[in-house]
Amino acid sequence: MREQHAENAHQFERGTDGPKVILVGVDGSDSSLRAAAYAGGLARRQGALLAVVYVQPVLAAGAALGAPVADTTDEIAEDLIAQIRAAAERVKGIFEVRWEFHTFRGDPYNGLVRAAHELKADAVVVGASEQAGHRIIGSVAVRLVKAGRWPVTVVP
């Protein structure tokens, strides 16, 4: 057994002692902000790092029509980080949460998958979709659950 332990000592292993990195996807919607609050509490209780991820959409059609897509999504990211900093400041001294803010580009599902992989997330938290069309084609949350790579918590 010791040989096996020494052999596996340098391999990354998920979920053995509780989560070390909890990833939460935010996009400014009410459900994503509730997910961030839930994930923040979970990270605090587990002593985990909270990785807050905003996936900046790449809208080729909007860019082709001359819409300033990159500027708009950068503004959203800046607004989100300001909201997170303000929330962290409000609870300072009550409880502390280690957190980082990351942005990725792409569609929400693939962006969150890439983020979870690169950040070595042990758990993923997302808000429930607020779009009616997702009941038909599937939401990001459902796709993450079906991927089966991490425990996924969907916050209503």
Side-chain angles (χ1 to χ4, degrees), residues 11 25 50 59 64 91-92 106 136 143:
Q11 292 181 353
L50 178 63
L59 303 172
V91 298
K92 195 171 191 168
I136 300 167
R143 292 174 67 195

Side-chain angles (χ1 to χ4, degrees), residues 69-85:
V69 175
D71 291 343
T72 301
T73 59
D74 286 344
E75 288 174 17
I76 292 169
E78 289 172 18
D79 182 54
L80 288 170
I81 199 164
Q83 288 181 48
I84 294 162
R85 282 192 178 124

Side-chain angles (χ1 to χ4, degrees), residues 46-75:
Q46 295 290 331
L49 173 67
L50 178 63
V52 181
V53 174
Y54 169 60
V55 180
Q56 291 180 304
V58 178
L59 303 172
L65 296 173
V69 175
D71 291 343
T72 301
T73 59
D74 286 344
E75 288 174 17

Side-chain angles (χ1 to χ4, degrees), residues 129-154:
S129 176
E130 296 177 349
Q131 297 180 10
H134 286 170
R135 290 187 179 95
I136 300 167
I137 60 171
S139 67
V140 171
V142 168
R143 292 174 67 195
L144 288 168
V145 169
K146 286 182 178 181
R149 296 182 190 161
W150 322 267
V152 176
T153 301
V154 182

